[in-house]
Amino acid sequence: MTFPLSRPMAIVLWAILLGLLAAPFVYIFVWCPREEFFDNVMSGLLATAGGLIGGIPVALWIDRTVKQQEEKKKQIEERKRETELLDLIKEELSFTNSLLEQRKTNPNNLYVQPLKSDLWAAISAAGKLNLIGSHRLLNRIASAYYVINVVRKVEEQGYIASRSATVTFSNGKNATQILWEDARRFDTLLSDSIREALNDINTDLSKKA
C-alpha cells in the first residue's frame, strides 16, 4: 500500500538530507576528527546521503504517479455511472414518447396509463443528478420532464373527473373532456422537448463511447 507524501513530510525529508550532507563538514571544522573518521563514519554518511538524494525524487515521482492513476480511475468510474444513468433516462423518455404518440393518434381517447417519469423522480430524490456532467444536457432533460409532469397531472385530474359526478358546462363538454383537451395542447411542446433531450443524450453518449 502506497501512502502519498504530504508537503510537510517532503520538507522534513529534504531537511534530513541537507542535515546529513552538512554533518561531515560541521564535524571536521568543529571537532577536528582523526583520519579514521573518513574511513568509517564519512563513508557511511556519504552512502546514506547518496541513497536519500536518489530516493526522495523517486518517492515523489511514485507519489505523483499513484495520485494520477487514482484520479484517472475515479474519472473512469464517474463516466461509467453517468453513462448508465443516461441510458436509463433515455429508455424512460423513449417509452414516454411512445405513450405520447398513442395519445396524438387518438386525442379523444382517455388513457389510464400515465406518462412515465418515475425514474426521474427517483434519481432526483436520491441526489444522483450531479452524475450528469453537462449542465446544458441536465437542463434539456429537466425541461422535458417538466412538460411531462405538467401533462401527467392534467391527465390525472381528467381521469379523476371521469370517475366523479359528471358536470356538463355551457359549451356542452364535461370536466373530463376539457381537462383532456388541455393536456393535448401540450403534445407538440412535449414531443419537441423529448426529441431534443434524446438527441442531446445520444450526442453525449457518443462522445463517451
Side-chain angles (χ1 to χ4, degrees), residues 14 24 32 54 84 91 102 125 132 146 156 163-164 178 198-199:
W14 280 111
C32 298
E84 292 174 349
E91 182 179 335
Q102 295 176 8
I132 302 177
Y146 169 76
E156 286 176 352
R163 294 294 184 269
S164 306
I178 294 174
L198 289 174
N199 288 340

Side-chain angles (χ1 to χ4, degrees), residues 158-179:
Y159 180 77
I160 292 173
S162 70
R163 294 294 184 269
S164 306
T166 302
V167 178
T168 302
F169 295 90
S170 58
N171 56 8
K173 298 179 180 179
N174 58 38
T176 299
Q177 292 173 318
I178 294 174
L179 287 167

Side-chain angles (χ1 to χ4, degrees), residues 40 75 165 168:
N40 299 319
Q75 291 176 354
T168 302

